[in-house]
Amino acid sequence: MLDLESLFKLSYGMCIITSNKDGRFNGCIVNTVFQITPEPPMVAVSVNRQCLTHEYITESRVFTVSILSQEAPMIFIGKFGFRSGRDTDKFEQVNYKTGQTGCPIILDNTVGFIEAEVTESIDIETHTLFIARIAACGTLDKDKEPMTYAYYRDIKHGKTPKTAATYIKKESVVKPKEGVTNMKKYKCLMCGYIYDPAAGDPENGVEAGTAFEDLPDGWVCPECGAGKDEFEPVED
């Protein structure tokens, strides 16, 4: 028996891991940071090899972990979790400071940070486990609670990108509504999800045949949580 849903019972923290390469910054959302020794203080993190941040860490051998607060908005999480640094500047309009390792520490929507220097890396199928010594760490906002993966998933109804270590592939079959052929499809600018009016979004209460313009104001992308203003029409 392999019940992958049971893995959701493990407790994870939602963080942004950042690194630098040739003076350029990049970062991505991870939920696999954990402390492994108290003295010397060391942490480990699993990062998908497809991520640009993986490339930066591999070359620079340093990274910073910015621990997200429960108040972090979905649009902010989507910027780092569902967009690629190859296509966009994730740090545009984001407050940050450069730490002693040369990596950016995110100041928006975070409760604390960890700066680390990689001592060992282990290749594991699709990911690399980076083991690192903590060079610096600190609290940024003691009055806010850190966001766990369970809180992100169950309270904020966030989705998991395919590059995440906790991603579980699910097969879903949505039967398009007959006779609905002239409604325009819309694409999420965050993650690339296509809203097809012929199929609707039944898992979130949107019936097949619902035009994008008629979606409720509070409707968000079922993949990354982006709002309707982050969609654009798909050209025929």
Side-chain angles (χ1 to χ4, degrees), residues 37 41 89 93 205 213 229:
T37 61
D89 178 7
Q93 297 183 333
E213 294 79 4
D229 58 344

Side-chain angles (χ1 to χ4, degrees), residues 18-20 25 60 62-64 97-99 101-105 115:
T18 60
S19 191
N20 69 78
F25 297 151
S60 68
V62 291
F63 62 82
T64 290
K97 66 178 181 180
T98 303
T101 59
C103 299
I105 299 169
E115 293 192 75

Side-chain angles (χ1 to χ4, degrees), residues 168-186:
I168 298 176
K169 183 178 181 180
K170 293 184 178 181
E171 299 294 338
S172 60
V173 178
V174 179
K175 184 178 180 181
K177 186 174 182 179
E178 295 182 2
V180 181
T181 58
N182 59 345
M183 292 184 182
K184 187 173 288 292
K185 299 178 182 178
Y186 280 73

Side-chain angles (χ1 to χ4, degrees), residues 14 22-23 27 32 50 56-57 65 80 90 96 99 122-123 138 179 185 189 199 203 221 225 228:
M14 292 287 287
D22 300 328
T32 53
Q50 296 180 20
Y56 282 26
I57 297 174
V65 177
F80 284 93
K90 295 185 179 183
Y96 66 91
I122 303 172
D123 289 337
K185 299 178 182 178
L189 298 176
E203 289 188 3
C221 174
K228 289 175 63 178

Side-chain angles (χ1 to χ4, degrees), residues 81-103:
F82 289 89
R83 283 184 171 177
S84 172
R86 298 181 177 89
D87 305 320
T88 185
D89 178 7
K90 295 185 179 183
F91 290 85
E92 185 178 3
Q93 297 183 333
V94 172
N95 293 313
Y96 66 91
K97 66 178 181 180
T98 303
Q100 67 182 52
T101 59
C103 299

Side-chain angles (χ1 to χ4, degrees), residues 194-208:
I194 302 293
Y195 174 75
D196 183 356
D201 181 18
E203 289 188 3
N204 293 296
V206 178
E207 296 182 357

